[in-house]
Amino acid sequence: MEQSKTWFNNNYKGMRLSKITTTVSLNIGSVDMGKARLMFWNLNGQEELQSLWNKYCAECRGIICVIDSTDEERLSESKEAFEKVVLSDAPDGIPILVLANKQNVETGLTIRDIKTTFSDCTCKTD
């Protein structure tokens, strides 16, 4: 999200990427694109905060689920969190994008690896 703000907001002087850490609770940002303003809520995946997700999803127009490609140990946890969101009532009819972040890191999981983990997702639709 921090990098997106620097790409689309001309006057925004973003943080160096090396200074950005994992979101601890919530990070809100906006990007102005012509006459439209995109609001982003970066919601942490911590289990104790997941109960709040439906409140945010109810008002959103799209969901981006970001998977950390360098964290194989937490991939199944990411899948479980994704399933919780998809199986809730909130995202009915809302487009969902699964984004494999950090694909530029050599030690990261491939898209195929991530697809394999998500292939038995209980939330499959036609």
Side-chain angles (χ1 to χ4, degrees), residues 57-121:
C57 290
E59 298 296 321
C60 74
R61 304 293 182 259
I63 297 171
I64 303 172
C65 176
V66 181
I67 307 296
D68 184 342
S69 297
T70 63
D71 196 350
E72 186 172 4
E73 292 178 9
R74 293 187 64 208
L75 187 59
S76 62
E77 182 183 332
S78 296
K79 178 187 157 206
E80 289 172 19
F82 174 77
E83 287 176 326
K84 283 181 186 178
V85 170
V86 172
L87 293 173
S88 72
D89 292 336
D92 191 30
I94 297 172
I96 300 173
L97 168 69
V98 177
L99 180 84
N101 197 16
K102 302 179 186 175
Q103 284 291 293
N104 59 324
V105 179
E106 282 187 38
T107 59
L109 297 166
T110 66
I111 297 298
R112 183 177 304 252
D113 296 332
I114 294 168
K115 280 184 176 181
T116 299
T117 300
F118 277 66
S119 66
D120 67 345
C121 186

Side-chain angles (χ1 to χ4, degrees), residues 23 25-27 41-46 49 52-54 56-57:
T23 303
S25 59
L26 171 69
N27 184 11
W41 293 288
N42 181 355
L43 305 176
N44 181 294
Q46 289 177 318
L49 296 175
L52 300 174
W53 287 358
N54 283 346
Y56 290 98
C57 290

